[in-house]
Amino acid sequence: METTFKIWETSRNVYAKFLETYTLEQLNTIPTGFSNNLVWNLGHIIVVQQALVYRLSGLPMYISDELFERYRNGSKPTGTTSQAEVDELKTLLFSLIEKTKEDYAAGKFVSYNEYTTGTGFHLASTKEAMEFNNYHEAMHLGFMMNIRKFI
């Protein structure tokens, strides 16, 4: 799992650079031809990790229901994310890694409700969910790299 966590941390550092590089207006911009924006992608990877790893393990998520609803699969950005929410997302980018590592080391992940993702990956364990999460986050990083060309 050490490699899985290392990949995840590296990815999240790249995501954080978007928050440091772009203005709030740019983070909220949905370019023509796109269905989301930079900040929605950030929120989305946070809530999906919580759902894949915690919810499907039968554990409570470390995010609010409101945040989950705003960025879950099938949601759409409003284009009005506040600076306070961006700051919260930036904190969650890293605090959730630490919490997940602690919970994994403490053996909290003892069961998993198997799940097949929209891309066809069948997840049968928390370990598989964590590994798939890195794939999912890489996809969204690619989307963000494309979006940034148009803002």
Side-chain angles (χ1 to χ4, degrees):
M1 286 302 293
E2 186 176 325
T3 300
T4 299
F5 286 128
K6 185 176 179 180
I7 291 167
W8 191 25
E9 289 170 339
T10 302
S11 172
R12 292 287 177 103
N13 280 313
V14 174
Y15 276 109
K17 288 182 180 153
F18 280 88
L19 295 175
E20 296 162 4
T21 303
Y22 295 97
T23 66
L24 182 61
E25 181 181 348
Q26 290 172 314
L27 292 170
N28 275 299
T29 298
I30 303 171
T32 303
F34 289 83
S35 60
N36 54 52
N37 55 27
L38 294 175
V39 73
W40 181 88
N41 279 278
L42 288 164
H44 178 70
I45 59 125
I46 288 167
V47 304
V48 167
Q49 182 271 336
Q50 288 290 286
L52 287 173
V53 174
Y54 283 89
R55 180 183 260 180
L56 289 172
S57 294
L59 297 170
M61 297 187 294
Y62 290 107
I63 57 171
S64 68
D65 291 341
E66 179 182 302
L67 193 71
F68 178 78
E69 287 301 318
R70 190 173 305 125
Y71 295 106
R72 68 176 175 74
N73 283 343
S75 67
K76 302 231 186 280
T78 62
T80 58
T81 303
S82 69
Q83 186 61 53
E85 187 171 329
V86 170
D87 294 343
E88 177 187 9
L89 293 174
K90 186 174 183 180
T91 298
L92 290 170
L93 277 175
F94 299 104
S95 66
L96 293 175
I97 290 174
E98 293 311 311
K99 194 66 184 151
T100 304
K101 287 167 71 175
E102 289 170 13
D103 291 345
Y104 187 80
K108 289 189 177 183
F109 300 105
V110 294
S111 64
Y112 195 79
N113 296 309
E114 293 188 25
Y115 176 74
T116 301
T117 70
T119 50
F121 286 89
H122 181 77
L123 307 176
S125 69
T126 304
K127 181 180 182 293
E128 289 179 10
M130 289 181 189
E131 291 169 350
F132 173 79
N133 184 65
N134 283 339
Y135 165 83
H136 178 257
E137 291 197 13
M139 283 188 349
H140 282 276
L141 183 57
F143 299 154
M144 290 175 68
M145 289 177 163
N146 203 14
I147 288 170
R148 72 180 178 181
K149 296 175 188 176
F150 300 96
I151 58 172

